[in-house]
Amino acid sequence: MNTILFLLDVPTRKPRISVVVDEDLLRYLEQWASSEERSVSNLVVFLLKQAVEAREKNRQ
């Protein structure tokens, strides 16, 4: 038997932030996220983590 689990609207205890972006940037992020089969939110978290890691590496 095959089971499909949809993880939509799963409650999370992680903090949330709001970001305001230009429409062009949003479209770009949507296309990028879609090409990697991920959500825009997931892509932005990934990019933020990369930016923080790069900043920390440059501070050392």
Side-chain angles (χ1 to χ4, degrees):
M1 181 167 118
N2 293 334
T3 303
I4 298 174
L5 177 63
F6 291 95
L7 298 177
L8 302 176
D9 297 323
V10 176
T12 180
R13 295 185 192 274
K14 292 182 180 180
R16 295 178 180 263
I17 61 171
S18 295
V19 179
V20 179
V21 298
D22 293 331
E23 288 181 27
D24 290 340
L25 177 57
L26 178 58
R27 280 193 293 273
Y28 187 90
L29 292 171
E30 287 171 336
Q31 290 173 357
W32 184 355
S34 177
S35 74
E36 295 187 7
E37 298 183 1
R38 55 167 88 209
S39 67
V40 171
S41 177
N42 180 269
L43 175 63
V44 170
V45 169
F46 171 76
L47 295 172
L48 287 171
K49 286 179 180 179
Q50 281 190 323
V52 169
E53 288 172 8
R55 184 170 194 264
E56 287 299 311
K57 183 177 179 182
N58 289 334
R59 293 176 92 192
Q60 297 175 356

